[in-house]
Amino acid sequence: MKSQYLGLLAAGIFAAPLTLAAPVTSPSDLNAARTIIDFESYAIGTLGPIDVAGATISGSPSGSVAVASSLPYTQYPGVVSGNIFGFSSSVSFFIDFAQPVAQFGMGVFDPNYPGYGSPSTSVTTLRLYDAGNVLLGTTVSGTADFPVGPPGGSWSTFVGFTFATNQIARVELVGAPGDLMGIDNVSFYRVNGVPEPGTLALLGLGLAGLGLSRRRKA
């Protein structure tokens, strides 16, 4: 009976993230001590992947996504300004962390679909995964968490998610077909002194086992 109980408990603990995602729509939603990668120190034309501050930033199609300038277009300090990574249509971006983080957000340059282009049903999708490749959270363009604007470089937005614990190991931004985009001010924060989800799960199992042991002795 005890082994069955522990098995069910373990399945429940590992089946889902321990905390829910809260959407990020502004840099101010993130901790002020966050790490910010703004690409200003990279020469125009620098190809990904870019490894910096414990993060690897890459794009697809591989070998074609590079640092570019957004200066001819509307500037949004803290969101998109100066150098950006990528200036391509039908592009995808990937951010992999050496250690999981609790907070993530980034500026997205010129997202227009759906609503401002054709086909209007196309969406850009943001997904976050943990170290086990379990989906933690997702949002799509054209929603309150991921607003879009008119084409022509006059619009940029900030998207992301936060958690109470360090769960985010990988971020994917899959661009809508035909929508030209870039990213900037890739921002993340790692909570210090908070047990990782796996540690918390093991602690829960240990406490459950201790409780069963005491009950058996009684």
Side-chain angles (χ1 to χ4, degrees):
M1 180 66 180
K2 181 171 74 172
S3 61
Q4 292 178 346
Y5 178 83
L6 289 175
L8 290 172
L9 179 62
I13 289 174
F14 289 107
L18 295 179
T19 56
L20 297 176
V24 168
T25 58
S26 168
S28 62
D29 292 335
L30 301 175
N31 191 289
R34 65 190 179 276
T35 298
I36 303 174
I37 303 170
D38 60 12
F39 305 105
E40 296 306 314
S41 63
Y42 295 91
I44 302 298
T46 301
L47 290 168
I50 292 175
D51 294 297
V52 58
T56 299
I57 303 171
S58 58
S60 179
S62 178
S64 64
V65 184
V67 174
S69 176
S70 69
L71 288 179
Y73 305 98
T74 305
Q75 301 292 286
Y76 293 87
V79 178
V80 170
S81 62
N83 288 358
I84 61 176
F85 183 63
F87 191 84
S88 311
S89 62
S90 305
V91 67
S92 295
F93 300 96
F94 310 96
I95 299 97
D96 292 279
F97 297 105
Q99 292 183 303
V101 299
Q103 301 182 8
F104 171 82
M106 66 181 173
V108 180
F109 169 76
D110 201 34
N112 310 134
Y113 298 171
Y116 287 93
S118 179
S120 62
T121 56
S122 298
V123 297
T124 293
T125 304
L126 176 71
R127 302 186 185 99
L128 284 75
Y129 297 89
D130 69 8
N133 206 36
V134 174
L135 181 66
L136 296 172
T138 185
T139 188
V140 297
S141 59
T143 63
D145 297 339
F146 195 156
V148 299
S154 64
W155 173 263
S156 293
T157 192
F158 198 85
V159 296
F161 287 101
T162 66
F163 294 84
T165 57
N166 299 314
Q167 299 190 60
I168 306 168
R170 178 176 173 85
V171 176
E172 297 180 354
L173 182 71
V174 181
D179 198 2
L180 187 150
M181 291 190 305
I183 61 175
D184 195 13
N185 289 293
V186 175
S187 307
F188 53 93
Y189 178 73
R190 194 169 194 276
V191 178
N192 294 319
V194 176
E196 301 293 337
T199 302
L200 292 174
L202 291 174
L203 178 61
L205 286 173
L207 291 174
L210 180 61
L212 286 173
S213 176
R214 287 182 175 177
R215 180 180 300 177
R216 186 173 181 180
K217 288 181 179 180

